[in-house]
Amino acid sequence: MINIKQFIATKNKFFNIFQLFGNWSPQPLFLLVHITLRCDNVCGYCYQLSDDYYKKYLAQDLSFDDFKKIVIDAKRNFFVMPKIHLFGGEPLINKDFSKMLEFATLNNVKLSFTTNGNLLNIFYKDIGSSSIEQINVSMNSLEDFYKIKTVQDIKRIKININFVLTDKNYKEIKKIVDFFEFEKANINVLSFQHAYFCKDKININVLKDQIFKIKNLKTRFKILFLPYIKVNDLEKYYNKELNNFSRNCNIPWLGLNIMPNLDVTPGGGVLGCNNVIGNLKKEKIKIIWNNKKIKIFRKNILKNGVCDKCLGCCHRQYY
């Protein structure tokens, strides 16, 4: 089983082969499904809180019937079933979360999801008996470790832990790595994500020192930094000198983002990808996948690179 998060983060250029098709793409590899935009955390670095685009979706969660519609549509219309990743907000808040897992499992559809972990222990049994194959857990500090105490016992599930680097934790990267190694945590990836915002609060020399301290460590899990920025280029990234990097992004050739009201946007559904290209109440996924709007979107990337809003994104390519 491929760890999608790790593969995209480390083998991103491999997928540039899809751009050889021009503004057309054979099929989506993933569907990022926002089953709610509500969340039980308030994180200062959250891009959804700082972008008015998401406010219109707060009043509606994805219904169970609409989830079934997405699964059936994807399963019937593509040669390879796209990976379905449940996202939020906090997806476990959706009242039909357990029913969605059950339906996907009965239809032999693999799922993954991203969570802050607050409710993982409550849904432990449902997750354990489902077709979930990967869980991405966002943590702010080591105090959040207890949240994965139960699910890490489900050996077949890949667990990825992600820390967004902030002024409160970037000085403790080595400490965090040592902690997970000491605890013998059953995780596959420990990632540290450079924040979209709050970059002015990070001392680059201290950050570099922390990265060098873990550079040659042998750990039971993979360590990643997202996006991948060479150490010598960290000043440019954090000083927002982003025009010095490549402006390519292949994510709109790889997947779609689906909002709770079934609006569809390209790629990872953040920043410059927040352009509605269709709605699943009116059209099938296969039709939207290569419709006029997404072809124009892809063509603009091929011609001009990503827009300025996407320059700090963790999904795009920097080299």
Side-chain angles (χ1 to χ4, degrees):
M1 179 175 59
I2 295 176
N3 187 316
I4 297 297
K5 183 181 182 71
Q6 179 180 340
F7 191 78
I8 289 180
T10 58
K11 308 290 185 183
N12 192 284
K13 284 191 174 182
F14 170 84
F15 292 111
N16 285 355
I17 191 171
F18 280 71
Q19 293 179 315
L20 296 177
F21 293 101
N23 62 1
W24 181 85
S25 182
Q27 74 150 77
L29 300 183
F30 70 84
L31 300 174
L32 184 67
V33 184
H34 286 72
I35 64 174
T36 184
L37 266 292
R38 296 180 298 121
C39 188
D40 53 350
N41 271 4
V42 180
C43 301
Y45 53 78
C46 180
Y47 62 87
Q48 292 181 3
L49 292 178
S50 62
D51 192 335
D52 289 341
Y53 172 82
Y54 298 97
K55 291 181 179 179
K56 61 186 175 183
Y57 297 109
L58 284 170
Q60 178 181 355
D61 288 356
L62 185 76
S63 70
F64 178 54
D65 286 341
D66 283 343
F67 175 77
K68 291 193 295 183
K69 176 187 179 82
I70 293 169
V71 171
I72 294 171
D73 186 354
K75 193 170 183 180
R76 286 179 178 174
N77 289 295
F78 295 104
F79 180 71
V80 177
M81 175 69 188
K83 297 284 184 180
I84 294 181
H85 186 82
L86 306 183
F87 204 68
E90 172 51 48
L92 277 66
I93 285 179
N94 187 303
K95 65 180 180 62
D96 292 322
F97 178 74
S98 292
K99 290 170 65 176
M100 292 176 183
L101 299 192
E102 182 180 8
F103 180 79
T105 302
L106 290 173
N107 285 273
N108 197 31
V109 172
K110 304 295 184 183
L111 296 177
S112 58
F113 66 89
T114 293
T115 175
N116 59 35
N118 291 344
L119 302 175
L120 277 177
N121 291 332
I122 294 176
F123 287 95
Y124 166 69
K125 290 185 179 179
D126 292 337
I127 292 169
S129 60
S130 75
S131 58
I132 292 289
E133 59 180 6
Q134 180 177 310
I135 303 174
N136 300 337
V137 185
S138 300
M139 293 188 179
N140 294 317
S141 71
L142 291 176
E143 294 178 0
D144 293 331
F145 177 69
Y146 77 93
K147 297 176 181 179
I148 66 167
K149 282 286 189 179
T150 52
V151 293
Q152 69 171 338
D153 291 334
I154 308 173
K155 305 299 183 184
R156 64 175 179 80
I157 295 180
K158 290 185 180 295
I159 299 177
N160 303 321
I161 304 296
N162 186 64
F163 284 84
V164 173
L165 293 176
T166 68
D167 58 321
K168 296 179 175 59
N169 63 23
Y170 81 99
K171 299 177 182 178
E172 299 184 340
I173 293 175
K174 174 67 162 55
K175 178 181 176 181
I176 292 170
V177 172
D178 287 343
F179 175 85
F180 278 91
E181 185 67 17
F182 177 79
E183 290 289 334
K184 297 181 179 179
N186 180 34
I187 65 173
N188 293 87
V189 174
L190 176 60
S191 60
F192 298 94
Q193 182 177 336
H194 301 294
Y196 295 138
F197 315 105
C198 310
K199 295 179 180 179
D200 56 330
K201 297 181 180 180
I202 304 292
N203 183 307
I204 302 303
N205 289 328
V206 174
L207 176 58
K208 284 183 176 181
D209 182 62
Q210 287 289 307
I211 293 174
F212 281 128
K213 284 181 178 179
I214 66 170
K215 183 178 180 180
N216 297 315
L217 287 181
K218 294 183 178 180
T219 55
R220 299 166 59 252
F221 42 83
K222 179 75 173 179
I223 300 174
L224 298 178
F225 284 86
L226 306 172
Y228 168 66
I229 303 293
K230 295 176 182 178
V231 174
N232 291 336
D233 289 335
L234 285 172
E235 284 95 346
K236 294 177 184 177
Y237 180 83
Y238 275 87
N239 290 331
K240 301 180 182 178
E241 300 171 16
L242 299 171
N243 283 316
N244 294 292
F245 297 97
S246 164
R247 294 180 73 110
N248 189 41
C249 179
N250 55 30
I251 299 299
W253 280 260
L254 305 181
L256 291 173
N257 175 66
I258 303 172
M259 302 305 287
N261 70 340
L262 299 186
D263 275 351
V264 179
T265 65
V270 297
L271 306 173
C273 278
N274 288 335
N275 292 280
V276 177
I277 57 172
N279 187 286
L280 293 179
K281 292 177 182 177
K282 303 174 183 178
E283 299 173 292
K284 300 287 188 182
I285 298 173
K286 190 172 184 178
I287 299 301
I288 295 175
W289 178 239
N290 278 304
N291 70 9
K292 183 177 180 179
K293 289 183 178 180
I294 196 170
K295 282 185 174 181
I296 291 173
F297 190 86
R298 292 173 183 147
K299 184 177 181 179
N300 285 336
I301 293 177
L302 291 174
K303 183 178 180 180
N304 305 311
V306 296
C307 66
D308 289 346
K309 197 173 183 180
C310 291
L311 289 180
C313 182
C314 65
H315 295 145
R316 78 173 186 90
Q317 293 174 8
Y318 286 80
Y319 302 99

